């Protein structure tokens, strides 16, 4: 698997990666625009891990058994 680090990718590859997450992870129903969310990654300013680490949420799952379903926000990288 090819590295997704900024130094190992072009802007076009980073855009394609984020678009793929939108399609594959079902994020369209989450209300989060991944192109906007990962804009710093696309622009080569911050790595995926940095953006994911800075993300926090204040919601509580109504049905905890369903946690983990839906948009993973690229967190598997």
């Amino acid at each position: 698997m090819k590295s997704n680090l900024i130094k190992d990718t072009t802007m076009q590859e980073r855009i394609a990666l984020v678009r793929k997450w939108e399609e594959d992870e079902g994020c369209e129903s989450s209300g989060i625009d991944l192109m906007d969310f990962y804009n710093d990654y696309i622009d080569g300013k911050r790595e995926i891990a940095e953006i994911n680490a800075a993300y926090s949420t204040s919601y509580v799952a109504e049905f905890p058994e369903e946690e983990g379903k839906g948009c993973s926000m690229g967190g598997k990288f």
Side-chain angles (χ1 to χ4, degrees):
M1 181 172 162
K2 183 181 176 193
S3 169
N4 291 323
L5 295 176
I6 291 168
K7 69 180 180 84
D8 298 330
T9 57
T10 65
M11 180 180 274
Q12 290 75 22
E13 290 172 322
R14 294 190 295 271
I15 290 169
L17 178 64
V18 174
R19 283 191 178 142
K20 183 169 177 20
W21 290 339
E22 287 181 320
E23 295 168 7
D24 293 351
E25 303 296 337
C27 296
E28 61 277 346
S29 64
S30 71
I32 298 172
D33 179 354
L34 291 188
M35 294 301 286
D36 184 49
F37 188 82
Y38 286 108
N39 191 54
D40 280 354
Y41 170 67
I42 292 168
D43 289 341
K45 296 176 183 176
R46 294 192 301 161
E47 295 291 351
I48 296 166
E50 293 175 275
I51 295 169
N52 288 345
Y55 177 75
S56 64
T57 183
S58 60
Y59 74 89
V60 176
E62 185 174 347
F63 302 102
E65 65 275 3
E66 293 184 13
E67 283 184 23
K69 293 183 179 180
C71 182
S72 70
M73 305 250 330
K76 60 188 168 200
F77 294 99

